[in-house]
Amino acid sequence: RSCMASLPDLVILDIRLPDIDGFEVAYRLRNNRRTKDVPIIFLTEKRARSDRLQGLELGADDYITKPFDIEELVARVGAVLRRSKAMRDLSPLTALPGNFRIAEELQRRVSSGRPMAVVHGDLDNFKAFNDHYGFMRGDNVIKFTANTLVQAAVDTDDPSCFVGHVGGDDFIAVMHPDVAETFCKTVIDRFDDGILDFYDPQDALRGFVEVIDRRGERHAFPIVSISLGVATNLRRTFNSEWEASAVASEMKEHAKHEAGSCYKVDRRTR
């Protein structure tokens, strides 16, 4: 009940509890919508392999037997909390870092003062695609976009290239300015080469889908494309991660005015 009232950061369970079996507590925690993602560590004197397996199969993040070393316990609790924190900020759809990690990465790079490029990616005509084919096929397009961005990042000469998922059809990538335009061209080539696979053959052949609005009127929407906006600190200084992100977003909006997949680079000095 206390877990329901105030969500804990972590639960340490013994199997032998006064009023209830620890395995039952773990089962209830894992099958409750509110507590299903709370990390669980079993700390118990029961050493049998069957008990260890049961605990882990119920969803425990670690299983420690008594007697235990206090320093090891502290270290393992810290490791579980770090993993839990990292998992909470991953997009459940793409498994890419989410907004917190994106902001953290941008702040770190802005503070370093080293050359950086921020790329904001966004899909065009995606809502019409979703409306026409449904959200499940739309989710597959989002996953495809994420994989395209990640593979393009891997192919750059920048091992520190970072890709995050803001949410929906918005993505952020951070890299060295020298590879930014090559990255964008690679993304566009691969995206345009693969996006038609998500369309029905007749829609792919004619190059659009039809969506009926609330008034019952039909509207034709072109094939989904990707727009990329690039901001760098080569000619200007970013004072915050928000400023870097805002400039990349502004350039992305300029790219969206072009038909088809496109990227625009900010070359202003201020």
Side-chain angles (χ1 to χ4, degrees), residues 13-17 21-23 42-55 63-67:
L13 276 178
D14 199 339
I15 294 175
R16 293 174 177 171
L17 297 175
D21 183 85
F23 288 141
F42 274 108
L43 182 62
T44 177
E45 63 184 15
K46 300 191 74 172
R47 295 171 170 269
R49 179 175 179 270
S50 58
D51 291 324
R52 185 185 298 272
L53 288 175
Q54 185 175 353
Y63 190 105
I64 303 170
T65 56
K66 301 176 183 179

Side-chain angles (χ1 to χ4, degrees), residues 87-153:
M87 290 302 295
R88 282 199 303 271
D89 196 49
L90 291 181
S91 162
L93 180 60
T94 63
L96 289 176
N99 287 329
F100 179 81
R101 292 267 302 279
I102 292 170
E104 191 175 60
E105 183 69 17
L106 287 174
Q107 182 181 36
R108 183 181 68 81
R109 301 222 188 185
V110 167
S111 299
S112 75
R114 296 175 181 173
M116 63 176 287
V118 182
V119 182
H120 187 164
D122 179 27
L123 299 184
D124 314 309
N125 305 309
F126 179 69
K127 184 180 183 304
F129 180 96
N130 239 6
D131 290 344
H132 184 76
Y133 288 117
F135 74 92
M136 293 189 71
R137 204 183 298 194
D139 283 353
N140 287 335
V141 169
I142 296 297
K143 293 176 184 177
F144 161 70
T145 305
N147 291 336
T148 299
L149 291 164
V150 169
Q151 191 55 57

Side-chain angles (χ1 to χ4, degrees), residues 25-51:
V25 175
Y27 175 82
R28 293 184 184 183
L29 290 171
R30 281 290 173 259
N31 286 274
N32 183 283
R33 183 177 298 178
R34 178 166 167 77
T35 59
K36 66 183 181 66
D37 295 320
V38 173
I40 297 172
I41 294 178
F42 274 108
L43 182 62
T44 177
E45 63 184 15
K46 300 191 74 172
R47 295 171 170 269
R49 179 175 179 270
S50 58
D51 291 324

Side-chain angles (χ1 to χ4, degrees), residues 210-229:
E210 287 188 335
V211 177
I212 301 175
D213 65 18
R214 294 177 181 177
R215 298 179 180 178
E217 298 175 351
R218 291 180 177 272
H219 299 273
F221 290 88
I223 300 299
V224 173
S225 55
I226 188 166
S227 291
L228 303 165

Side-chain angles (χ1 to χ4, degrees), residues 133 137 196-207:
Y133 288 117
R137 204 183 298 194
L196 287 177
D197 293 342
F198 298 93
Y199 283 79
D200 289 345
Q202 63 272 23
D203 293 332
L205 285 171
R206 63 184 179 176

